[in-house]
């Protein structure tokens, strides 16, 4: 979903695929393309050893968030955590917040489970499933303290812009699942997508921008290796933080 190599593999790995050969019912546009990827021995071991505790099955039924984590705490949903490096660091930085991470790619899920074991994290749960369906069917309305979407696939070509995740209908779904005062934090390294994100979020009457335009990078979001390299080369990164009106 991203050009961020520590959050998500480079976008060059996700070339658009033709759906013309598929029957009409199978041509549903997704915001991601399944990538071929090799699960390492360490990732497979983490899936086997830690998956039963930290990997939630997709049930299509609303979760009891307090029961899921064994406590009553703010819950943040992260959509598309890639290889999970930043996700693990954020969870470690914010131990009083619980996180649900959605990612469709097995190596990334295995990598984050490995981080969970190595770092002794208890405030993370993962779902290997389409985040839109998880949001619609498993997350209770008005329940989330926040949503993180970092470096989603920008779908650079204009004819593929419709595949971008951040669209008005999707933001409306996010809003319905945010608690009053809850936030949406987006980040991208593709300026045209940043412009679209700002336009879409600003047009949602139930949200208010926390900044004049783009936000300062919140302290809890770590810089990735890719991002540091890009900043040294003069590339930009844009953060947006909007809150749901009370």
């Amino acid at each position: 979903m991203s050009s961020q190599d520590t959050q998500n593999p480079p976008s060059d790995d996700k070339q658009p695929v033709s759906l013309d050969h598929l029957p009409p019912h199978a041509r549903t546009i997704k915001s991601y393309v399944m990538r071929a990827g090799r699960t390492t021995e360490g990732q497979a071991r983490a899936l086997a050893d830690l998956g039963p505790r930290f990997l939630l099955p997709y049930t299509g039924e609303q979760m009891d968030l307090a029961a899921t984590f064994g406590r009553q705490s703010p819950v943040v949903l992260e959509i598309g955590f890639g290889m999970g490096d930043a996700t693990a660091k954020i969870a470690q930085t914010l131990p009083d917040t619980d996180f649900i991470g959605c990612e469709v790619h097995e190596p990334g899920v295995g990598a984050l489970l490995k981080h969970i074991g190595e770092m002794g994290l208890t405030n993370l749960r993962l779902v290997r499933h389409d985040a839109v369906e998880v949001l619609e069917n498993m997350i209770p309305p008005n329940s989330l303290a926040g949503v993180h979407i970092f470096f989603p696939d920008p779908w650079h070509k204009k004819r593929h812009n419709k595949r971008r995740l951040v669209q008005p209908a999707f933001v409306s779904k996010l809003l319905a699942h945010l608690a009053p005062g809850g936030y949406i934090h987006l980040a991208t390294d593709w300026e045209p997508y940043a412009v679209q994100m700002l336009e879409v979020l600003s047009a949602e009457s139930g949200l208010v921008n926390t900044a004049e335009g783009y936000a300062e990078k919140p302290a809890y979001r770590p810089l990735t290796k890719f991002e540091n390299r890009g900043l040294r080369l003069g590339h930009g990164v844009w953060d947006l933080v909007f809150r749901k009106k009370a």
Side-chain angles (χ1 to χ4, degrees):
M1 290 177 59
S2 156
S3 57
Q4 194 77 283
D5 61 0
T6 52
Q7 282 284 79
N8 295 295
S11 54
D12 289 346
D13 291 344
K14 298 178 295 176
Q15 297 299 323
V17 295
S18 172
L19 305 179
D20 293 343
H21 65 289
L22 297 177
H25 71 274
R27 295 178 188 171
T28 303
I29 290 177
K30 298 288 189 183
S31 62
Y32 60 87
V33 171
M34 290 297 291
R35 297 184 298 267
R38 178 179 165 281
T39 301
T40 67
E41 289 185 13
Q43 292 164 359
R45 189 160 51 249
L47 283 161
D49 294 346
L50 298 175
R53 179 179 176 189
F54 296 100
L55 189 57
L56 303 175
Y58 175 76
T59 64
E61 299 178 357
Q62 284 188 12
M63 289 187 284
D64 181 331
L65 297 178
T68 297
F69 289 94
R71 64 178 184 173
Q72 192 77 45
S73 298
V75 176
V76 171
L77 176 70
E78 180 168 1
I79 295 175
F81 56 75
M83 300 307 285
D85 298 47
T87 307
K89 291 175 183 175
I90 292 171
Q92 184 180 52
T93 299
L94 303 174
D96 295 328
T97 299
D98 292 323
F99 295 88
I100 297 172
C102 291
E103 177 58 62
V104 296
H105 305 289
E106 182 176 284
V109 174
L112 183 48
L113 286 169
K114 192 166 179 286
H115 286 315
I116 287 172
E118 292 169 348
M119 298 167 71
L121 301 174
T122 59
N123 59 334
L124 257 172
R125 298 294 185 273
L126 314 182
V127 185
R128 190 187 171 201
H129 195 80
D130 179 4
V132 176
E133 293 186 359
V134 172
L135 180 72
E136 291 179 337
N137 301 317
M138 292 186 67
I139 304 297
N142 303 304
S143 65
L144 295 173
V147 175
H148 293 171
I149 308 175
F150 299 148
F151 306 98
D153 195 322
W155 294 101
H156 303 85
K157 295 180 180 179
K158 188 170 183 179
R159 69 177 183 272
H160 296 137
N161 286 176
K162 64 185 178 181
R163 294 178 179 268
R164 288 176 175 171
L165 181 62
V166 182
Q167 307 278 1
F170 178 66
V171 171
S172 180
K173 292 180 191 295
L174 294 181
L175 187 66
H177 292 85
L178 278 177
Y183 69 92
I184 299 173
H185 179 187
L186 310 179
T188 182
D189 56 359
W190 184 248
E191 188 172 10
Y193 199 5
V195 171
Q196 176 184 324
M197 288 175 170
L198 184 58
E199 291 176 349
V200 170
L201 293 181
S202 297
E204 174 52 67
S205 62
L207 293 173
V208 60
N209 198 346
T210 65
E212 293 292 333
Y214 301 108
E216 293 278 338
K217 182 186 76 65
Y220 60 76
R221 185 177 76 77
L223 290 173
T224 66
K225 293 178 183 176
F226 177 91
E227 192 173 356
N228 272 317
R229 184 166 66 244
L231 290 172
R232 285 196 301 271
L233 294 172
H235 300 166
V237 173
W238 293 266
D239 284 81
L240 301 93
V241 181
F242 279 67
R243 287 197 179 274
K244 181 176 179 176
K245 294 178 181 177

